[in-house]
Amino acid sequence: MSKIFRLLPLMVLLILAGAISTNADEVGGIIGSDTTWNLSKSPYTITSEIQIDRGITLSIEPGVTINGKGHRILVFGNLKAIGTEGSTIKFYDTNIVPADDSSGNNHLIQITFSYFKRGSIYQSMNHPYGNLILKNSKIENVN
């Protein structure tokens, strides 16, 4: 019986540790339907190149953190990262690239109240088509 009481604090600790979640979400690949990256699942870690398909929108909520790990977000559709003054979106080591799409399907990259550190914004591949709207954002060490 005394063994159980000695192990009880350890068991409680293990149960509590299992209940604590980092809420981190790993993302990569083709986004083929309208998608929202929610603050509740932040931070998002990009594990491979992301492609936002034509006619599709990736929306990023205020306060979300993206750890790009040097990977690209290739935008054929729309990227809307709309933060707020009190809740910026943070991009670390992320490369946002407009797709080389001469088919007439123009993309939109809209970024407001965001913070960028390392990586690139609107890094042209060859002949990008579409629009970039960048407002009220801080940029550090970006190509």
Side-chain angles (χ1 to χ4, degrees):
M1 185 98 131
S2 63
K3 266 188 175 181
I4 291 175
F5 286 115
R6 280 187 274 158
L7 293 176
L8 187 60
L10 179 61
M11 291 187 319
V12 169
L13 239 168
L14 290 173
I15 290 169
L16 287 175
I20 297 170
S21 171
T22 61
N23 293 329
D25 203 4
E26 294 184 347
V27 291
I30 296 173
I31 296 176
S33 61
D34 289 344
T35 301
T36 300
W37 289 356
N38 301 301
L39 180 58
S40 63
K41 292 184 179 180
S42 183
Y44 287 83
T45 300
I46 300 176
T47 58
S48 64
E49 178 177 271
I50 292 175
Q51 293 184 21
I52 304 170
D53 218 353
R54 289 172 183 84
I56 301 303
T57 299
L58 170 60
S59 301
I60 303 175
E61 289 185 345
V64 168
T65 297
I66 297 101
N67 297 311
K69 297 195 169 221
H71 294 290
R72 301 187 313 174
I73 299 176
L74 186 57
V75 183
F76 286 93
N78 303 301
L79 172 63
K80 293 187 177 183
I82 312 296
T84 64
E85 190 170 3
S87 189
T88 59
I89 297 169
K90 295 168 192 71
F91 292 89
Y92 296 104
D93 202 18
T94 304
N95 299 296
I96 298 175
V97 181
D100 185 5
D101 186 1
S102 58
S103 67
N105 296 317
N106 290 336
H107 61 265
L108 170 65
I109 298 173
Q110 185 176 3
I111 301 168
T112 306
F113 288 109
S114 294
Y115 171 75
F116 285 85
K117 187 166 186 178
R118 296 179 308 280
S120 62
I121 304 169
Y122 214 79
Q123 179 185 34
S124 174
M125 290 175 62
N126 285 324
H127 304 289
Y129 297 84
N131 301 292
L132 169 67
I133 300 170
L134 177 62
K135 296 191 223 176
N136 300 312
S137 296
K138 183 176 180 179
I139 301 169
E140 290 184 17
N141 300 324
V142 172
N143 298 329

